Amino acid sequence: MNTAFICYSRYHDDQASIESSGEAIACANIRDFDIEGHGYGCGHGVDGALFRAMSHLDLSHCCDAFRGLRNITITANETDINGWRTGNLAKILSGATDLERLCIHCSDGMFHISTRYILGTTVWSRLTSLDFSSTTFDQGDFLDVLRRHSGTLKDIDLNCVHLANGSWKVLLEGMKSFLSLRHVSIEDPFEEDGHEAIYLNDDALTNYLLCEGPNPLSIEYLLNLQEESVL
């Protein structure tokens, strides 16, 4: 197959890099896969046209090729939204049945595509780590992803993530209720419906989600913080 995933970094278990088509992923013992783009340069990220143009045969080959992958990083851009909304990426990722870590980053601006289209309803039985940056999530959709992997997720990194149709306070409550994390980092959170920056103290966040501290965005916590500053 002459796959569109031409420009990427791949590593065998012995860390030797290779360059070939997507079929080589299935043939070699590859565990880590970085999808950066297609065509010359490869610095602008993958756009939706890649998935819109896929034939059923190419889609089938990609699903087969992703089997055995454990660590996938996708650098994306919003170009051709209809292509992203085909759900073909979700189908391809579903083939990575051994997936342990998934990273999705936007190469320029914000990535506003729903997790329904890029992750679907798949449950990866070994997924322990999620890393997203410069993306927009619907609160309900993202909580559903977290809930489906509540038995395995241990590490979450969210950087410059915009939350739509919800609040970070409620999202944190959901994470607290059904996740048992060992690491969490949330930098520059934002709410689509809000107009003010949201500040999350790292220590307070860790104390809440990993220990027994109060929700750092609760009214009680903020009032207590205000009282302490006065004193």
Side-chain angles (χ1 to χ4, degrees):
M1 176 188 63
N2 227 350
T3 180
F5 296 143
I6 295 174
C7 180
Y8 55 84
S9 303
R10 290 142 295 188
Y11 300 92
H12 291 284
D13 284 345
D14 63 359
Q15 298 301 304
S17 62
I18 66 171
E19 290 188 1
S20 76
S21 69
E23 285 183 333
I25 302 173
C27 297
N29 193 22
I30 297 172
R31 293 292 177 259
D32 303 318
F33 186 31
D34 296 350
I35 305 172
E36 299 175 350
H38 63 286
Y40 179 77
C42 302
H44 69 289
V46 175
D47 61 57
L50 169 64
F51 304 103
R52 178 173 48 80
M54 276 187 170
S55 68
H56 290 297
L57 183 60
D58 281 345
L59 183 60
S60 177
H61 281 319
C62 284
C63 290
D64 290 340
F66 272 54
R67 292 176 183 169
L69 293 179
R70 296 178 183 173
N71 187 349
I72 298 175
T73 298
I74 301 172
T75 303
N77 68 62
E78 269 196 316
T79 305
D80 200 327
I81 290 179
N82 288 334
W84 287 109
R85 289 176 176 170
T86 60
N88 283 340
L89 175 58
K91 294 175 184 176
I92 293 170
L93 290 177
S94 70
T97 53
D98 293 333
L99 185 64
E100 297 175 359
R101 184 171 186 264
L102 176 64
C103 305
I104 298 179
H105 310 288
C106 183
S107 62
D108 184 21
M110 292 295 296
F111 189 62
H112 291 78
I113 311 302
S114 170
T115 54
R116 289 177 295 166
Y117 298 119
I118 58 177
L119 301 182
T121 58
T122 300
V123 177
W124 291 280
S125 61
R126 298 184 178 182
L127 185 66
T128 59
S129 177
L130 287 176
D131 185 337
F132 296 104
S133 65
S134 298
T135 53
T136 295
F137 291 142
D138 176 270
Q139 175 188 285
D141 290 344
F142 190 52
L143 279 174
D144 184 55
V145 172
L146 299 181
R147 188 178 295 108
R148 294 201 308 268
H149 299 91
S150 60
T152 58
L153 267 180
K154 297 299 179 184
D155 304 297
I156 293 180
D157 288 275
L158 305 175
N159 182 28
C160 196
V161 169
H162 289 207
L163 194 65
N165 302 315
S167 72
W168 279 96
K169 176 180 178 294
V170 174
L171 180 62
L172 293 183
E173 290 171 352
M175 294 171 66
K176 175 72 173 180
S177 67
F178 47 75
L179 295 180
S180 298
L181 299 174
R182 64 189 177 198
H183 163 79
V184 61
S185 175
I186 300 177
E187 299 288 339
D188 298 323
F190 191 84
E191 292 175 4
E192 287 281 279
D193 300 328
H195 302 286
E196 297 181 359
I198 297 173
Y199 174 72
L200 273 175
N201 179 276
D202 291 339
D203 291 337
L205 177 67
T206 299
N207 193 33
Y208 175 58
L209 291 179
L210 275 61
C211 303
E212 298 299 326
N215 187 327
L217 293 179
S218 66
I219 295 178
E220 293 78 12
Y221 174 81
L222 296 175
L223 286 176
N224 185 55
L225 196 64
Q226 187 177 34
E227 291 177 359
E228 290 180 354
S229 65
V230 172
L231 296 175

